[in-house]
Amino acid sequence: MITNGQRWLRRLTTADVPGGRPRVRLVALPHAGGAASFYHKWARLLPRDVELMAVQYPGRQDRADEPCAVSMPELADPIAAALAPMAGPTMAVFGHSMGAAVAVEVTRRLEERIGRPLLRLFVSGRPAPHRQRPTAVHEGGDDALLADLRRLGGTDESLLAQPGLREMVLPSLRADYRLIERYRPAPAAPLRTPITALCGDRDPEVSPEEAAAWREQTSGDFHAQVIGGDHFYVTDRPVAAVRAVLADVRPQVPLAAAWPSTP
């Protein structure tokens, strides 16, 4: 029998510590059209006491036979339910682009379930809700979706040119665009979980000012950081991305000792 956690979560690293209890449990949510494998590069960079789990949305990779979610609750509710048994002050949630909006909704649900804040919420590559610009890319054809991928960068043009790969990727991409472009967050009190907002300095999707506006979404600590790169700095510059995350969850640990010297 497949549990809810097995359906939604992919464990990319296991903490190598006495008792197997991680010091930090990092949960990562991908962008529109993305999958849990988006975060594979991070696994080799994390310290041994940090566990990395990535969320697998339906409609892609090993969940390709499942229908894509059509609304934010269809994603946030079961993800929060899968994480609830392990949620607490050692859990940090990271969401990139569409994943940032999902991460906020998941964090809100977890706060309500456990009655306390999480360790930290990282929102990456997305403006604060009140600074979000309306778009309707999903209403266009395939060319409109592919054009937006090119605008954001980070996608190999040779992959987009392969009909088989396009047919595999476009259905989940369109469904995710439709979900996030129709998403309207309900008015709510600020989160208690501290927030770090991250963006690339050449990201066409979000400016540093729009990222800094996430400050209004938490009553806790807030930090904003700009990293060199475009919308997909997360995988194009994984060392810089992971350093930024670790600096806000375990800052006393030397970050560069065993890491590659280049991003």
Side-chain angles (χ1 to χ4, degrees), residues 33-56:
S37 58
F38 180 67
Y39 292 100
H40 271 312
K41 287 183 179 180
W42 286 26
R44 64 185 178 86
L45 301 175
L46 291 166
R48 290 187 295 178
D49 62 352
V50 176
E51 179 180 84
L52 175 63
M53 292 189 298
V55 172
Q56 187 77 300

Side-chain angles (χ1 to χ4, degrees), residues 119-121 191-197 214-215 217-224 248:
L119 176 60
R120 201 157 193 102
L121 168 64
L191 295 169
R192 289 186 290 161
T193 299
I195 291 179
T196 295
W214 279 101
R215 179 184 300 276
Q217 303 300 312
T218 180
S219 61
D221 178 59
F222 177 81
H223 176 215
D248 277 355

Side-chain angles (χ1 to χ4, degrees), residues 64-151:
D65 59 342
E66 300 179 44
C68 295
V70 299
S71 69
M72 183 62 75
E74 283 190 44
L75 283 182
D77 288 347
I79 294 171
L83 292 173
M86 61 191 84
T90 62
M91 178 177 286
V93 180
F94 182 101
H96 180 65
S97 199
M98 181 186 89
V102 183
V104 171
E105 294 290 346
V106 169
T107 300
R108 190 174 303 284
R109 286 160 171 76
L110 290 176
E111 283 192 358
E112 292 171 355
R113 282 174 177 257
I114 68 175
R116 62 191 300 182
L118 304 182
L119 176 60
R120 201 157 193 102
L121 168 64
F122 294 87
V123 287
S124 167
R126 184 170 177 83
H130 59 289
R131 299 292 299 274
Q132 185 66 46
R133 300 175 296 278
T135 58
V137 177
H138 75 276
E139 295 179 1
D142 292 350
D143 288 345
L145 288 170
L146 294 174
D148 205 57
L149 285 183
R150 294 184 177 99
R151 177 182 70 89

Side-chain angles (χ1 to χ4, degrees), residues 186-210:
L191 295 169
R192 289 186 290 161
T193 299
I195 291 179
T196 295
L198 301 167
C199 70
D201 63 357
R202 301 186 303 279
D203 189 342
E205 192 74 359
V206 53
S207 69
E209 293 75 22
E210 290 169 331

